Amino acid sequence: MKYSRKINDIFKYRADRWKDYTPSVRPSPDEINQYKQMIVSAGRVKPKCLILGSTPELRDLLYTLGCTVTLIDINEYMIQCMGNLMQHRSQNEKIIVGNWLTHQFGVNKFDFVIGDHIINMIPTSDYNTLIRVATVQGFDRCRYSNHRLNYLCD
């Protein structure tokens, strides 16, 4: 999907200021550690992970854990901007430019489906579709905001 220059400018603005954002806009070190513990405790060798979105902290974490990573985001420019913020440049990420809710991932293709603040990116009418995408894979983990409270859920 092509976005207008104005929309891409918004994505660039957000990426340029990413370091200035604090939790809850970006995951905190404690939240990243929770993601890490979830993956490590599963005991899988080279787990296959799907990232919904392009959060650089999640991409870096999965790289350091030796995961096989696929990420999906609807905006290629955002993937690029957030990729530029990564500490580790993985050449092994499979990148899908597409919609999480309509892309056909297949059944049990991933060990983990991980997204940060993903629930804020879709209308409430699509929550059940998002749950189906995550649970058909077996595991899911997301962080979402509801008013002023943050949750880490599984």
mmCIF file of all heavy atoms in Angstrom, residues 11-38:
data_model
loop_
_atom_site.group_PDB
_atom_site.id
_atom_site.type_symbol
_atom_site.label_atom_id
_atom_site.label_comp_id
_atom_site.label_asym_id
_atom_site.label_seq_id
_atom_site.Cartn_x
_atom_site.Cartn_y
_atom_site.Cartn_z
ATOM 1 N N PHE A 11 5.400 9.278 9.768
ATOM 2 C CA PHE A 11 6.170 8.113 10.185
ATOM 3 C C PHE A 11 7.634 8.494 10.416
ATOM 4 O O PHE A 11 8.253 8.059 11.385
ATOM 5 C CB PHE A 11 6.085 6.995 9.151
ATOM 6 C CG PHE A 11 4.757 6.304 9.125
ATOM 7 C CD1 PHE A 11 4.057 6.166 7.939
ATOM 8 C CD2 PHE A 11 4.205 5.779 10.273
ATOM 9 C CE1 PHE A 11 2.827 5.517 7.909
ATOM 10 C CE2 PHE A 11 2.982 5.122 10.257
ATOM 11 C CZ PHE A 11 2.294 4.995 9.071
ATOM 12 N N LYS A 12 8.197 9.300 9.528
ATOM 13 C CA LYS A 12 9.591 9.723 9.682
ATOM 14 C C LYS A 12 9.746 10.560 10.943
ATOM 15 O O LYS A 12 10.712 10.390 11.696
ATOM 16 C CB LYS A 12 10.061 10.498 8.460
ATOM 17 C CG LYS A 12 11.532 10.891 8.570
ATOM 18 C CD LYS A 12 12.049 11.501 7.304
ATOM 19 C CE LYS A 12 13.508 11.861 7.338
ATOM 20 N NZ LYS A 12 14.153 12.049 8.595
ATOM 21 N N TYR A 13 8.815 11.453 11.197
ATOM 22 C CA TYR A 13 8.850 12.284 12.398
ATOM 23 C C TYR A 13 8.861 11.391 13.645
ATOM 24 O O TYR A 13 9.646 11.596 14.563
ATOM 25 C CB TYR A 13 7.632 13.216 12.417
ATOM 26 C CG TYR A 13 7.533 14.064 13.658
ATOM 27 C CD1 TYR A 13 8.183 15.298 13.721
ATOM 28 C CD2 TYR A 13 6.799 13.651 14.762
ATOM 29 C CE1 TYR A 13 8.097 16.089 14.857
ATOM 30 C CE2 TYR A 13 6.717 14.430 15.897
ATOM 31 C CZ TYR A 13 7.363 15.652 15.945
ATOM 32 O OH TYR A 13 7.295 16.425 17.070
ATOM 33 N N ARG A 14 8.010 10.392 13.643
ATOM 34 C CA ARG A 14 7.938 9.483 14.799
ATOM 35 C C ARG A 14 9.247 8.709 14.960
ATOM 36 O O ARG A 14 9.766 8.578 16.065
ATOM 37 C CB ARG A 14 6.777 8.519 14.634
ATOM 38 C CG ARG A 14 6.559 7.672 15.843
ATOM 39 C CD ARG A 14 5.278 6.896 15.757
ATOM 40 N NE ARG A 14 5.051 6.222 17.016
ATOM 41 C CZ ARG A 14 4.099 5.369 17.233
ATOM 42 N NH1 ARG A 14 3.250 5.093 16.271
ATOM 43 N NH2 ARG A 14 3.964 4.791 18.391
ATOM 44 N N ALA A 15 9.786 8.202 13.883
ATOM 45 C CA ALA A 15 11.047 7.457 13.947
ATOM 46 C C ALA A 15 12.194 8.366 14.387
ATOM 47 O O ALA A 15 13.026 7.960 15.205
ATOM 48 C CB ALA A 15 11.357 6.820 12.594
ATOM 49 N N ASP A 16 12.230 9.597 13.870
ATOM 50 C CA ASP A 16 13.292 10.530 14.234
ATOM 51 C C ASP A 16 13.275 10.871 15.715
ATOM 52 O O ASP A 16 14.305 11.207 16.292
ATOM 53 C CB ASP A 16 13.186 11.825 13.426
ATOM 54 C CG ASP A 16 13.596 11.664 11.974
ATOM 55 O OD1 ASP A 16 14.206 10.616 11.636
ATOM 56 O OD2 ASP A 16 13.278 12.567 11.174
ATOM 57 N N ARG A 17 12.124 10.776 16.345
ATOM 58 C CA ARG A 17 11.986 11.133 17.755
ATOM 59 C C ARG A 17 11.797 9.914 18.664
ATOM 60 O O ARG A 17 11.491 10.050 19.824
ATOM 61 C CB ARG A 17 10.824 12.101 17.927
ATOM 62 C CG ARG A 17 11.255 13.489 17.496
ATOM 63 C CD ARG A 17 10.130 14.339 16.967
ATOM 64 N NE ARG A 17 10.641 15.559 16.360
ATOM 65 C CZ ARG A 17 11.171 15.626 15.141
ATOM 66 N NH1 ARG A 17 11.274 14.566 14.400
ATOM 67 N NH2 ARG A 17 11.604 16.759 14.648
ATOM 68 N N TRP A 18 11.986 8.737 18.088
ATOM 69 C CA TRP A 18 11.746 7.491 18.828
ATOM 70 C C TRP A 18 12.524 7.460 20.146
ATOM 71 O O TRP A 18 12.015 7.052 21.181
ATOM 72 C CB TRP A 18 12.099 6.290 17.958
ATOM 73 C CG TRP A 18 11.690 4.981 18.542
ATOM 74 C CD1 TRP A 18 12.511 4.033 19.064
ATOM 75 C CD2 TRP A 18 10.368 4.464 18.660
ATOM 76 N NE1 TRP A 18 11.781 2.946 19.490
ATOM 77 C CE2 TRP A 18 10.457 3.191 19.251
ATOM 78 C CE3 TRP A 18 9.102 4.956 18.312
ATOM 79 C CZ2 TRP A 18 9.346 2.405 19.517
ATOM 80 C CZ3 TRP A 18 7.998 4.172 18.575
ATOM 81 C CH2 TRP A 18 8.125 2.917 19.166
ATOM 82 N N LYS A 19 13.777 7.898 20.127
ATOM 83 C CA LYS A 19 14.609 7.860 21.332
ATOM 84 C C LYS A 19 14.052 8.759 22.435
ATOM 85 O O LYS A 19 14.342 8.546 23.611
ATOM 86 C CB LYS A 19 16.050 8.240 21.004
ATOM 87 C CG LYS A 19 16.244 9.681 20.595
ATOM 88 C CD LYS A 19 17.703 9.983 20.317
ATOM 89 C CE LYS A 19 18.011 11.376 19.896
ATOM 90 N NZ LYS A 19 16.993 12.311 19.613
ATOM 91 N N ASP A 20 13.260 9.751 22.068
ATOM 92 C CA ASP A 20 12.682 10.662 23.053
ATOM 93 C C ASP A 20 11.397 10.128 23.673
ATOM 94 O O ASP A 20 10.959 10.629 24.710
ATOM 95 C CB ASP A 20 12.384 12.023 22.406
ATOM 96 C CG ASP A 20 13.638 12.688 21.881
ATOM 97 O OD1 ASP A 20 14.710 12.508 22.498
ATOM 98 O OD2 ASP A 20 13.545 13.382 20.851
ATOM 99 N N TYR A 21 10.797 9.142 23.024
ATOM 100 C CA TYR A 21 9.568 8.569 23.559
ATOM 101 C C TYR A 21 9.886 7.679 24.755
ATOM 102 O O TYR A 21 10.938 7.044 24.813
ATOM 103 C CB TYR A 21 8.838 7.737 22.502
ATOM 104 C CG TYR A 21 8.247 8.546 21.377
ATOM 105 C CD1 TYR A 21 8.581 8.263 20.063
ATOM 106 C CD2 TYR A 21 7.352 9.580 21.614
ATOM 107 C CE1 TYR A 21 8.038 8.987 19.006
ATOM 108 C CE2 TYR A 21 6.810 10.308 20.568
ATOM 109 C CZ TYR A 21 7.156 10.011 19.278
ATOM 110 O OH TYR A 21 6.621 10.723 18.245
ATOM 111 N N THR A 22 8.986 7.647 25.678
ATOM 112 C CA THR A 22 9.144 6.796 26.855
ATOM 113 C C THR A 22 8.000 5.783 26.868
ATOM 114 O O THR A 22 7.027 5.922 26.126
ATOM 115 C CB THR A 22 9.077 7.642 28.137
ATOM 116 O OG1 THR A 22 7.806 8.306 28.195
ATOM 117 C CG2 THR A 22 10.192 8.685 28.170
ATOM 118 N N PRO A 23 8.120 4.770 27.719
ATOM 119 C CA PRO A 23 6.955 3.898 27.875
ATOM 120 C C PRO A 23 5.776 4.764 28.297
ATOM 121 O O PRO A 23 5.972 5.708 29.041
ATOM 122 C CB PRO A 23 7.371 2.953 28.990
ATOM 123 C CG PRO A 23 8.873 2.973 28.949
ATOM 124 C CD PRO A 23 9.236 4.363 28.518
ATOM 125 N N SER A 24 4.699 4.666 27.774
ATOM 126 C CA SER A 24 4.091 3.531 27.128
ATOM 127 C C SER A 24 4.119 3.570 25.602
ATOM 128 O O SER A 24 3.640 2.654 24.964
ATOM 129 C CB SER A 24 2.657 3.388 27.601
ATOM 130 O OG SER A 24 1.856 4.422 27.089
ATOM 131 N N VAL A 25 4.716 4.596 25.009
ATOM 132 C CA VAL A 25 4.774 4.662 23.543
ATOM 133 C C VAL A 25 5.694 3.574 23.003
ATOM 134 O O VAL A 25 5.406 2.969 21.993
ATOM 135 C CB VAL A 25 5.231 6.055 23.067
ATOM 136 C CG1 VAL A 25 5.450 6.084 21.567
ATOM 137 C CG2 VAL A 25 4.216 7.098 23.490
ATOM 138 N N ARG A 26 6.797 3.335 23.675
ATOM 139 C CA ARG A 26 7.714 2.275 23.277
ATOM 140 C C ARG A 26 7.912 1.351 24.476
ATOM 141 O O ARG A 26 7.674 1.753 25.612
ATOM 142 C CB ARG A 26 9.018 2.844 22.760
ATOM 143 C CG ARG A 26 9.780 3.659 23.773
ATOM 144 C CD ARG A 26 10.945 4.374 23.169
ATOM 145 N NE ARG A 26 12.107 3.510 23.095
ATOM 146 C CZ ARG A 26 13.336 3.967 22.944
ATOM 147 N NH1 ARG A 26 13.563 5.262 22.835
ATOM 148 N NH2 ARG A 26 14.348 3.135 22.879
ATOM 149 N N PRO A 27 8.313 0.127 24.233
ATOM 150 C CA PRO A 27 8.420 -0.816 25.346
ATOM 151 C C PRO A 27 9.557 -0.438 26.305
ATOM 152 O O PRO A 27 10.620 0.002 25.878
ATOM 153 C CB PRO A 27 8.708 -2.157 24.671
ATOM 154 C CG PRO A 27 9.217 -1.826 23.319
ATOM 155 C CD PRO A 27 8.631 -0.508 22.948
ATOM 156 N N SER A 28 9.296 -0.626 27.583
ATOM 157 C CA SER A 28 10.308 -0.354 28.599
ATOM 158 C C SER A 28 11.298 -1.516 28.661
ATOM 159 O O SER A 28 11.001 -2.617 28.177
ATOM 160 C CB SER A 28 9.645 -0.183 29.967
ATOM 161 O OG SER A 28 9.188 -1.443 30.435
ATOM 162 N N PRO A 29 12.462 -1.310 29.264
ATOM 163 C CA PRO A 29 13.394 -2.425 29.456
ATOM 164 C C PRO A 29 12.762 -3.591 30.216
ATOM 165 O O PRO A 29 13.030 -4.756 29.897
ATOM 166 C CB PRO A 29 14.551 -1.793 30.243
ATOM 167 C CG PRO A 29 14.522 -0.348 29.836
ATOM 168 C CD PRO A 29 13.051 -0.034 29.673
ATOM 169 N N ASP A 30 11.924 -3.312 31.195
ATOM 170 C CA ASP A 30 11.246 -4.389 31.929
ATOM 171 C C ASP A 30 10.308 -5.182 31.022
ATOM 172 O O ASP A 30 10.226 -6.406 31.125
ATOM 173 C CB ASP A 30 10.446 -3.840 33.111
ATOM 174 C CG ASP A 30 11.333 -3.434 34.276
ATOM 175 O OD1 ASP A 30 12.512 -3.848 34.310
ATOM 176 O OD2 ASP A 30 10.844 -2.702 35.145
ATOM 177 N N GLU A 31 9.603 -4.498 30.146
ATOM 178 C CA GLU A 31 8.710 -5.196 29.220
ATOM 179 C C GLU A 31 9.504 -6.044 28.234
ATOM 180 O O GLU A 31 9.117 -7.177 27.938
ATOM 181 C CB GLU A 31 7.810 -4.189 28.498
ATOM 182 C CG GLU A 31 6.780 -3.601 29.440
ATOM 183 C CD GLU A 31 6.173 -2.315 28.937
ATOM 184 O OE1 GLU A 31 6.809 -1.591 28.152
ATOM 185 O OE2 GLU A 31 5.054 -2.019 29.367
ATOM 186 N N ILE A 32 10.611 -5.514 27.751
ATOM 187 C CA ILE A 32 11.469 -6.298 26.855
ATOM 188 C C ILE A 32 11.965 -7.536 27.588
ATOM 189 O O ILE A 32 12.007 -8.634 27.012
ATOM 190 C CB ILE A 32 12.643 -5.437 26.318
ATOM 191 C CG1 ILE A 32 12.121 -4.361 25.373
ATOM 192 C CG2 ILE A 32 13.690 -6.297 25.639
ATOM 193 C CD1 ILE A 32 11.449 -4.888 24.111
ATOM 194 N N ASN A 33 12.317 -7.382 28.851
ATOM 195 C CA ASN A 33 12.762 -8.531 29.636
ATOM 196 C C ASN A 33 11.647 -9.567 29.788
ATOM 197 O O ASN A 33 11.906 -10.778 29.776
ATOM 198 C CB ASN A 33 13.277 -8.089 31.003
ATOM 199 C CG ASN A 33 14.005 -9.203 31.708
ATOM 200 O OD1 ASN A 33 14.876 -9.855 31.125
ATOM 201 N ND2 ASN A 33 13.644 -9.439 32.951
ATOM 202 N N GLN A 34 10.401 -9.118 29.929
ATOM 203 C CA GLN A 34 9.278 -10.056 30.007
ATOM 204 C C GLN A 34 9.109 -10.833 28.704
ATOM 205 O O GLN A 34 8.854 -12.035 28.722
ATOM 206 C CB GLN A 34 7.988 -9.320 30.369
ATOM 207 C CG GLN A 34 7.973 -8.841 31.805
ATOM 208 C CD GLN A 34 6.690 -8.126 32.135
ATOM 209 O OE1 GLN A 34 5.608 -8.553 31.741
ATOM 210 N NE2 GLN A 34 6.801 -7.014 32.860
ATOM 211 N N TYR A 35 9.260 -10.142 27.587
ATOM 212 C CA TYR A 35 9.214 -10.832 26.295
ATOM 213 C C TYR A 35 10.333 -11.881 26.240
ATOM 214 O O TYR A 35 10.122 -13.016 25.818
ATOM 215 C CB TYR A 35 9.409 -9.848 25.131
ATOM 216 C CG TYR A 35 8.221 -8.962 24.825
ATOM 217 C CD1 TYR A 35 8.330 -7.576 24.922
ATOM 218 C CD2 TYR A 35 7.013 -9.485 24.386
ATOM 219 C CE1 TYR A 35 7.255 -6.745 24.611
ATOM 220 C CE2 TYR A 35 5.944 -8.670 24.073
ATOM 221 C CZ TYR A 35 6.065 -7.300 24.189
ATOM 222 O OH TYR A 35 5.010 -6.502 23.874
ATOM 223 N N LYS A 36 11.531 -11.481 26.675
ATOM 224 C CA LYS A 36 12.677 -12.379 26.653
ATOM 225 C C LYS A 36 12.410 -13.614 27.516
ATOM 226 O O LYS A 36 12.649 -14.753 27.081
ATOM 227 C CB LYS A 36 13.924 -11.651 27.157
ATOM 228 C CG LYS A 36 15.159 -12.523 27.207
ATOM 229 C CD LYS A 36 16.353 -11.733 27.722
ATOM 230 C CE LYS A 36 17.584 -12.606 27.785
ATOM 231 N NZ LYS A 36 18.753 -11.847 28.268
ATOM 232 N N GLN A 37 11.926 -13.412 28.722
ATOM 233 C CA GLN A 37 11.662 -14.536 29.619
ATOM 234 C C GLN A 37 10.623 -15.482 29.038
ATOM 235 O O GLN A 37 10.745 -16.707 29.160
ATOM 236 C CB GLN A 37 11.219 -14.031 31.000
ATOM 237 C CG GLN A 37 12.285 -13.271 31.742
ATOM 238 C CD GLN A 37 13.553 -14.094 31.925
ATOM 239 O OE1 GLN A 37 13.535 -15.309 32.053
ATOM 240 N NE2 GLN A 37 14.695 -13.417 31.905
ATOM 241 N N MET A 38 9.603 -14.934 28.399
ATOM 242 C CA MET A 38 8.565 -15.760 27.790
ATOM 243 C C MET A 38 9.170 -16.671 26.722
ATOM 244 O O MET A 38 8.881 -17.863 26.673
ATOM 245 C CB MET A 38 7.487 -14.872 27.170
ATOM 246 C CG MET A 38 6.438 -15.636 26.387
ATOM 247 S SD MET A 38 5.428 -14.587 25.320
ATOM 248 C CE MET A 38 6.624 -13.983 24.153
#
